[in-house]
C-alpha cells in the first residue's frame, strides 16, 4: 500500500466524544464537548482532556479544579454536538437541550443525567500545549446506568452505544460489534 502525506493534522481514529461538566460563574452548570481526550494513567486512574484557553470551560476548570466526563449514547448526538457549537458564556446549554445537570457525589461539578457513563474527576495537573491546556484528572468514581450493564455486571459497550468523532470529515460515527477478544486473538500468532 502506498501512503500519501496529508501533513500534520489533529487526526486520530477514533476521537472520543466526551462531555466535560463544570460549574461556571454563579454556580451555573456548564458542559462542553471535547474530542481531544482519553485515559492517560491506570494508577492512579486518570483521564486527560485538552481545552482551549478561550473556552468558558477552561476558566471553570482553573477555578473549580474538578470536573466530570459524561459519555453520551447515539440517542443524544444532537445534544452533544450542540454542547460544542455554543459557548457557556452566554448560553445555558442544559436549559437549551433539556438535559439534566446532576451534581457529582465526589466532586463539585455537574454531569449529564441522561448519559449512561460518568467519570468524576479531580484535577491532578495541567500541561500547556500550544493553544490548548491539557487537564489531567484523577478518576475518583465511575457511574454507570444499570440499564447498560451486561449480565457480568460490567458496562456493555453495545448497550452504552457511544459514538466517535472524525475530525477530518467533521462527522460522528457509531461502533459495530465485537471483532475479536483483546489479549487473546494475538496469541494465534504464537502458534
Amino acid at each position: 500500500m502506498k501512503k500519501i502525506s496529508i501533513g500534520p493534522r489533529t487526526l486520530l481514529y477514533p476521537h472520543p466524544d466526551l462531555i466535560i461538566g463544570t460549574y461556571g460563574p454563579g454556580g451555573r452548570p456548564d458542559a462542553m464537548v471535547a474530542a481531544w481526550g482519553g485515559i492517560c494513567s491506570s494508577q492512579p486512574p486518570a483521564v486527560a482532556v485538552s481545552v482551549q484557553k478561550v473556552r468558558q470551560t477552561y476558566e471553570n476548570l482553573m477555578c473549580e479544579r474538578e470536573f466530570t466526563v459524561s459519555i453520551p449514547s447515539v440517542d443524544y448526538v444532537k445534544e452533544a454536538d450542540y454542547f460544542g457549537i455554543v459557548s457557556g458564556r452566554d448560553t445555558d446549554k442544559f436549559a437549551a437541550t433539556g438535559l439534566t445537570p446532576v451534581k457529582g457525589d465526589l466532586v463539585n461539578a455537574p454531569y449529564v443525567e441522561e448519559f449512561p457513563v460518568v467519570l468524576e474527576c479531580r484535577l491532578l495537573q495541567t500541561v500547556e500545549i500550544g493553544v490548548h491546556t491539557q487537564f489531567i484528572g484523577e478518576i475518583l468514581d465511575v457511574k454507570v446506568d444499570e440499564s447498560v450493564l451486561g449480565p457480568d455486571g460490567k458496562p456493555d459497550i453495545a448497550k452504552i452505544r457511544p459514538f466517535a468523532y472524525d475530525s477530518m470529515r467533521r462527522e460522528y460515527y457509531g461502533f459495530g460489534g465485537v471483532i475479536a477478544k483483546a489479549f487473546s486473538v494475538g496469541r494465534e500468532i504464537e502458534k
Side-chain angles (χ1 to χ4, degrees):
M1 293 183 163
K2 182 179 178 185
K3 305 282 190 274
I4 298 172
S5 173
I6 61 172
R9 309 235 180 184
T10 54
L11 181 66
L12 183 68
Y13 292 109
H15 287 295
D17 199 75
L18 308 172
I19 305 301
I20 311 307
T22 56
Y23 284 118
R28 185 172 79 179
D30 190 24
M32 72 164 272
V33 65
W36 296 184
I39 295 298
C40 64
S41 174
S42 52
Q43 282 301 324
V47 63
V49 294
S50 294
V51 179
Q52 291 183 352
K53 291 179 183 178
V54 299
R55 306 285 182 225
Q56 179 64 51
T57 297
Y58 172 88
E59 291 179 24
N60 299 348
L61 284 164
M62 293 301 285
C63 180
E64 294 295 328
R65 305 188 65 77
E66 295 180 326
F67 61 100
T68 63
V69 177
S70 296
I71 300 173
S73 72
V74 296
D75 297 326
Y76 293 98
V77 66
K78 177 173 46 174
E79 291 84 352
D81 188 57
Y82 182 79
F83 284 159
I85 293 173
V86 298
S87 171
R89 290 188 202 292
D90 48 27
T91 304
D92 182 338
K93 297 178 190 183
F94 282 97
T97 59
L99 295 175
T100 310
V102 176
K103 184 182 180 306
D105 294 324
L106 301 177
V107 297
N108 187 34
Y111 63 85
V112 183
E113 180 176 30
E114 292 81 0
F115 295 175
V117 179
V118 174
L119 288 66
E120 292 192 38
C121 306
R122 180 176 301 125
L123 188 62
L124 286 175
Q125 71 181 65
T126 60
V127 179
E128 300 298 321
I129 307 171
V131 298
H132 286 79
T133 299
Q134 185 175 69
F135 292 87
I136 300 171
E138 179 178 2
I139 301 168
L140 302 178
D141 192 26
V142 176
K143 293 175 174 22
V144 181
D145 287 351
E146 288 182 84
S147 65
V148 300
L149 295 176
D152 58 2
K154 296 177 183 176
D156 182 338
I157 196 168
K159 291 181 178 182
I160 295 168
R161 299 173 43 234
F163 55 93
Y165 173 63
D166 177 346
S167 61
M168 289 295 292
R169 298 186 180 280
R170 302 183 98 184
E171 297 172 330
Y172 297 111
Y173 287 84
F175 293 95
V178 175
I179 59 169
K181 192 74 173 162
F183 303 102
S184 178
V185 69
R187 299 247 179 244
E188 294 174 14
I189 296 172
E190 293 177 336
K191 296 176 182 177

